[in-house]
Amino acid sequence: MADATAEMIPCACADCVCTVKTGTGIERDGKTFCCEACADGHASHDGCGHSGCACHG
């Protein structure tokens, strides 16, 4: 059963619209990201690939 009280926080990527459940994202420099592409600052200009999000850094 999913924890309905889990806190959702926004991805730290400025252009990203994704949210991440606390403790499950990718941690870098004290920030939480939804995926490696966002955490790496979109170094390869890849988007996060999540539905509805068009971020590329």
Side-chain angles (χ1 to χ4, degrees):
M1 181 176 199
D3 183 359
T5 62
E7 181 181 353
M8 299 296 288
I9 58 173
C11 176
C13 174
D15 293 333
C16 192
V17 298
C18 297
T19 56
V20 182
K21 187 167 71 170
T22 302
T24 63
I26 298 178
E27 301 285 333
R28 297 270 169 84
D29 300 321
K31 298 177 182 176
T32 303
F33 298 90
C34 69
C35 65
E36 288 289 339
C38 288
D40 290 340
H42 299 280
S44 300
H45 303 287
D46 293 334
C48 77
H50 295 119
S51 179
C53 187
C55 72
H56 283 89

